[in-house]
Amino acid sequence: MNEIYEFLKSCGTYYLATVEGDQPRVRPFGTIDIFDGKLAIQTGKCKDVSRQMHANPKIEICAFENGKWIRVEATVKEDARVEAQAHMLDAYPELKAMYAAGDGNTEIFTLESGKATVFTFGGAPKTIFF
């Protein structure tokens, strides 16, 4: 799990895919955290991505850096604890201009189960289950 965290954190921006009906939706994301022993991401409850993850909690994340890329397949679950929100916002203080722990909009999703595969050009892929 730490390897997944470090890879995504290092990239800065990764791409999160959700599903809306039968249409995939992909957008850039930038938050990744480990809270209470789980990988976590943050968004706003008012956003389409939040509604999509509540309707279908299966997501994929993809990121690329220095000739390596990662694909994360996971199921997400909302962690509504204010402590999870505060932990994320402390890790990303620039978000405090738009979000606050307990504001009714800040939303944390944990990656509950899944796998990550790290690929390199010409190398064997490495799979990490969490």
Side-chain angles (χ1 to χ4, degrees), residues 28 46 53 62-63 70 77 84 88 92 111 113 123:
C46 64
M53 288 190 289
C62 190
I70 191 168
K77 180 180 177 187
M88 180 69 76
Y92 293 90
L111 282 63
S113 61

Side-chain angles (χ1 to χ4, degrees), residues 8-9 11-16 27-33 41-42 88 92 94-95:
L8 294 174
K9 186 81 171 173
C11 287
T13 299
Y14 58 87
Y15 297 88
L16 174 73
R27 80 278 295 149
F29 251 62
T31 57
I32 188 70
D33 197 8
I41 60 176
Q42 182 272 334
M88 180 69 76
Y92 293 90
E94 64 276 14
L95 293 177

Side-chain angles (χ1 to χ4, degrees), residues 34-54:
I34 296 177
F35 182 75
D36 205 14
K38 295 181 181 180
L39 289 166
I41 60 176
Q42 182 272 334
T43 191
K45 287 185 180 185
C46 64
K47 295 183 176 182
D48 289 342
V49 66
S50 170
R51 287 188 289 280
Q52 292 159 6
M53 288 190 289
H54 281 287

Side-chain angles (χ1 to χ4, degrees), residues 3-4 71 73 114-119 124-130:
E3 186 174 347
I4 300 165
R71 180 181 300 129
E73 304 169 38
K115 72 176 183 177
T117 307
V118 179
F119 300 89
K126 177 182 179 180
T127 302
I128 305 161
F129 293 92
F130 61 93

